[in-house]
Amino acid sequence: MRDDNSRLVYSTDSGRIKEEKQAPVREKGDGIVRIQRQTKGRKGKGVCLVTGLEIDDAALKLVAAELKKVCGCGGAVKDGVIEIQGDKRDQIKAYLEKKGHTVKLAGG
């Protein structure tokens, strides 16, 4: 009898069995782009997290590149969230509102 949490990891016929990883599925939001400042786990260095953009990963990278140019700083895209280095919330908000997004500043 097989439990729900047991899985096959080796077979004498084919050897080690590797699970195929699935891409994470992003949930649909409420259409509001949120900008949050975060320092936790970053050795005191602050970043702005931009969440809620309902676009695919390629377009997200393009938006991140434009935001980095506007703010004059570095950044990255991780798990569907744009990270911009430094406290640039006002510049990010102005840019995204100019592009037609509804923007809220989240957090403290």
Side-chain angles (χ1 to χ4, degrees):
M1 188 159 90
R2 211 171 145 151
D3 293 331
D4 288 334
N5 60 357
S6 68
R7 59 186 173 89
L8 187 63
V9 292
Y10 189 83
S11 171
T12 54
D13 294 332
S14 60
R16 182 162 302 280
I17 298 178
K18 295 182 181 178
E19 290 185 18
E20 294 182 18
K21 299 203 178 203
Q22 297 177 356
V25 177
R26 283 189 263 162
E27 296 181 16
K28 290 284 184 187
D30 54 1
I32 298 173
V33 179
R34 288 181 169 80
I35 304 170
Q36 173 185 0
R37 185 169 179 272
Q38 187 182 70
T39 58
K40 189 174 185 178
R42 302 177 192 278
K43 299 180 182 176
K45 306 286 184 184
V47 296
C48 291
L49 303 177
V50 181
T51 58
L53 287 171
E54 302 289 332
I55 53 179
D56 62 342
D57 289 338
L60 203 62
K61 288 181 182 181
L62 291 174
V63 171
E66 291 173 5
L67 285 174
K68 290 190 291 186
K69 286 179 187 175
V70 167
C71 297
C73 59
V77 176
K78 295 180 182 173
D79 299 326
V81 177
I82 299 175
E83 296 180 359
I84 301 294
Q85 295 175 352
D87 189 5
K88 310 283 186 178
R89 289 181 292 183
D90 296 330
Q91 292 175 343
I92 295 170
K93 182 178 181 185
Y95 177 78
L96 290 175
E97 284 177 340
K98 189 171 76 172
K99 289 288 186 178
H101 295 283
T102 304
V103 182
K104 281 188 178 178
L105 296 179

